[in-house]
Amino acid sequence: MRIANFKIGADNPCFIIAELSANHNGDLSIAIETIRAAKRAGADAIKLQTYTPETLTIDCNNDYFKIDGGTLWDGKTLYELYDEAYTPWEWHKQLFDIAKEEGLICFSSPFDKTAVDFLEDLDVPAYKIASFEIQDIPLIEYTAAKGKPIIMSTGIADEEDIALAVRTCKDVGNNEIVLLKCTSSYPAPLELANLNTIKDLKTRFKVEVGFSDHTYGHIAPVVALTLGAKVIEKHFILNKEIGGPDSDFSLDENEFKQMVSAVRDAEKLLGKISYEIPEKVVKNRKFARSLFVVKNVKRGDIVTQQNIRSIRPGYGLHPKHYNEVIGKSFTQDVIIGTPLSLNMIKE
């Protein structure tokens, strides 16, 4: 699978997404500088969210629309939150252009069909279905039918929801699917992450997998990588002092850079399945054990446990020959400290 020029899966590097979300605080200049900072921090992509308050909800303040679930946003209505958080659509073209200028892949999460149509005009290379939209099957169907790779967060989805979302994509001929393990809690407690699910998502649904992270810090993305995540998404903010709905669980430039570095180091550590000895390590085999003559011997002397030993360094005969040569005789005089070789031993 490719998103723009980035190949996802197999032995390719993890695709690291900086989520802009609401971290522009309604200021276009902050949004632009955040994109530039994401590039400096090592992100592969920047992701926007494409909605308006009206495309997500209605302006109503009865109890159904008030947030009171122990979140960072308690006390607001849904409309008030989305009105504060949304990215103006008139910014999108400029933000996409800035991202391209910086060498970042830019795409977005649409939240209704009008957003999909709008993003199609911007020629997005992929779409992201947010956690709370994974049950919006008409939206998934409409989006997947555009033929672009689909990344879906599974934060509020049970197994049946995920299966239906995946099937919906495949039914319209789109098999370019990435499922992101996600905990839709903001911030997300570590004990709710259940990252082992990442492996099961790949096995069960036969798709690429990744992790959308709302925990503090960056240990969770590194662990996710070791469990098979090929996509990592993390909220990114220029400076936490600007505040905003998502600032509490976002990483700033320095923190994001540390996360990217840790992920890339983990990729080096994981490497590939190989039993070959690297050239650098082969050179160090001289410090391994081998068979050495440890007493002066004469031609005809018997090879014994007293005159040969398996010791360091590794210039002598492989220790696997030890039992084979014991009891045979030397073919020549040998002084102590000489590496044993088969031509010293009589057959």
Side-chain angles (χ1 to χ4, degrees), residues 92-290:
H92 278 55
K93 175 64 165 61
Q94 187 173 357
L95 296 182
F96 271 71
D97 288 345
I98 294 293
K100 184 176 181 180
E101 179 184 302
E102 291 292 326
L104 283 175
I105 296 168
C106 188
F107 64 109
S108 187
S109 295
F111 289 80
D112 78 326
K113 292 180 180 179
T114 67
V116 177
D117 293 340
F118 174 75
L119 291 168
E120 277 294 290
D121 288 340
L122 294 174
D123 195 26
V124 292
Y127 287 101
K128 164 75 188 299
I129 301 297
S131 290
F132 292 100
E133 274 56 51
I134 197 168
Q135 294 177 328
D136 190 343
I137 297 306
L139 174 63
I140 293 173
E141 181 178 42
Y142 189 77
T143 307
K146 302 304 179 184
K148 310 282 180 65
I150 300 289
I151 301 172
M152 295 190 286
S153 280
T154 61
I156 65 158
D158 60 22
E159 184 182 347
E160 184 177 344
D161 291 327
I162 298 169
L164 178 57
V166 170
R167 187 164 66 249
T168 299
C169 293
K170 291 183 176 181
D171 283 349
V172 295
N174 192 332
N175 297 309
E176 304 263 87
I177 303 164
V178 181
L179 291 176
L180 303 185
K181 178 68 182 75
C182 177
T183 304
S184 292
S185 181
Y186 308 91
L190 297 182
E191 61 270 19
L192 296 183
N194 293 320
L195 293 183
N196 274 323
T197 310
I198 291 171
K199 294 183 292 185
D200 193 69
L201 283 171
K202 184 170 183 64
T203 301
R204 190 176 301 269
F205 298 105
K206 306 294 189 293
V207 296
E208 293 296 342
V209 292
F211 178 49
S212 180
D213 184 30
H214 302 128
T215 67
Y216 289 129
H218 66 253
I219 187 172
V222 175
V223 174
L225 171 78
T226 68
L227 295 169
K230 290 299 182 180
V231 175
I232 297 292
E233 179 186 66
K234 186 79 172 178
H235 285 247
F236 182 82
I237 193 166
L238 185 62
N239 187 330
K240 292 184 181 181
E241 292 181 1
I242 69 176
D246 299 338
S247 61
D248 187 57
F249 53 89
S250 299
L251 299 185
D252 63 23
E253 181 177 343
N254 185 56
E255 292 168 330
F256 200 93
K257 186 179 294 184
Q258 290 175 14
M259 181 196 76
V260 172
S261 178
V263 168
R264 298 307 182 208
D265 283 348
E267 287 175 328
K268 293 173 186 174
L269 287 166
L270 288 173
K272 60 184 180 180
I273 298 172
S274 173
Y275 294 96
E276 295 180 8
I277 303 174
E279 183 179 347
K280 189 171 183 179
V281 177
V282 169
K283 294 177 181 178
N284 287 333
R285 291 191 74 173
K286 63 186 178 182
F287 300 115
R289 293 205 173 219
S290 68

